[in-house]
């Protein structure tokens, strides 16, 4: 009796639960159930795998008699696809709840490669363009210096002579 009392578990609400190993699936709280579905990240990847596996189902049908082959193959294909859909979770969601627009790893890899190419291209332009701009800046400065060398004032200066004694020149 003492062992049975030790194996009784308390639920978070404080109620006494059933003896370990005797509870049925419906009585176990959802927080205690472990998700035994296969975790996937892309619904599209799983769909592609289903398409690949459909050829195996078709090969299984080759051994069946001709008159029952078509309905048996349809049934086997439907059973296989529904079993996969029930036992797969997409990012923690059930098959029906998951969206179809998830990116596959290969799509993400292609986008990362393109992004890397853009970064490299931009970095090389940042190195090249200052050199190209510098050439034009130097040409502009030299042209301005040439223009300044060619500048001559329009007004001609007169040579003014200084008379040492301005009073004497006025009297005479």
């Amino acid at each position: 009796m003492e062992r049975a009392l030790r194996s009784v578990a308390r639920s978070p609400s404080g109620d006494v639960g059933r003896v370990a190993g005797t509870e049925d699936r419906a009585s176990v709280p959802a927080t205690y159930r472990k998700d035994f579905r296969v975790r996937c990240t892309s619904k599209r990847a799983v769909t592609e795998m289903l398409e690949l596996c459909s050829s195996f189902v078709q090969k299984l049908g080759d051994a069946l008699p001709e008159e029952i082959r078509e309905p048996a193959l349809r049934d086997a294909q439907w059973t296989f696809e529904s079993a996969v859909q029930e036992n797969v979770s997409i990012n923690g969601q059930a098959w029906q709840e998951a969206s179809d627009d998830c990116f596959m790893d290969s799509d993400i890899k292609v986008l990362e490669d393109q992004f890397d190419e853009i970064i490299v291209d931009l970095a090389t332009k940042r190195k090249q363009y200052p050199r190209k701009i510098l050439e034009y800046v130097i040409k502009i400065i030299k042209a301005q210096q040439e223009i300044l060398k060619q500048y001559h004032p329009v007004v001609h200066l007169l040579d003014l002579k200084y008379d040492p004694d301005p009073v004497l020149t006025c009297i005479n």
Side-chain angles (χ1 to χ4, degrees):
M1 179 76 175
E2 202 173 318
R3 284 186 213 160
L5 289 176
R6 278 191 226 150
S7 63
V8 172
R10 290 206 168 258
S11 66
S13 63
D15 300 335
V16 175
R18 296 178 180 230
V19 175
T22 62
E23 63 267 335
D24 58 347
R25 202 160 214 208
S27 66
V28 177
T31 57
Y32 290 129
R33 280 190 213 145
K34 185 176 179 185
D35 189 15
F36 291 104
R37 296 180 294 180
V38 176
R39 291 181 212 120
C40 298
T41 57
S42 172
K43 190 172 184 178
R44 189 167 54 168
V46 175
T47 305
E48 287 178 7
M49 290 306 296
L50 280 173
E51 290 172 6
L52 287 174
C53 293
S54 68
S55 64
F56 296 120
V57 174
Q58 293 293 328
K59 287 180 184 177
L60 288 173
D62 292 342
L64 296 174
E66 190 69 35
E67 59 272 359
I68 64 167
R69 182 179 299 164
E70 185 69 30
L73 282 175
R74 267 197 317 262
D75 186 43
Q77 187 70 32
W78 181 84
T79 305
F80 177 71
E81 288 180 5
S82 61
V84 169
Q85 291 173 4
E86 288 177 12
N87 291 301
V88 167
S89 68
I90 309 296
N91 294 325
Q93 296 179 334
W95 180 270
Q96 294 78 12
E97 298 169 0
S99 63
D100 292 333
D101 59 342
C102 296
F103 286 111
M104 286 182 51
D105 292 337
S106 60
D107 294 340
I108 293 172
K109 180 68 175 158
V110 168
L111 290 174
E112 286 178 350
D113 291 343
Q114 290 175 350
F115 188 61
D116 290 341
E117 289 174 12
I118 291 171
I119 289 173
V120 169
D121 187 40
L122 184 64
T124 55
K125 286 180 180 178
R126 282 186 177 172
K127 289 180 182 177
Q128 291 174 356
Y129 285 142
R131 283 186 244 137
K132 290 181 181 180
I133 293 171
L134 183 63
E135 292 175 24
Y136 290 107
V137 169
I138 290 172
K139 287 180 183 178
I140 290 171
I141 291 173
K142 286 183 179 179
Q144 287 176 347
Q145 288 174 348
E146 288 294 319
I147 290 171
L148 287 175
K149 285 180 186 176
Q150 294 176 359
Y151 174 72
H152 298 292
V154 177
V155 179
H156 298 289
L157 299 177
L158 293 175
D159 290 337
L160 296 177
K161 294 182 183 175
Y162 174 69
D163 289 336
D165 193 10
V167 179
L168 293 174
T169 52
C170 289
I171 299 179
N172 293 344

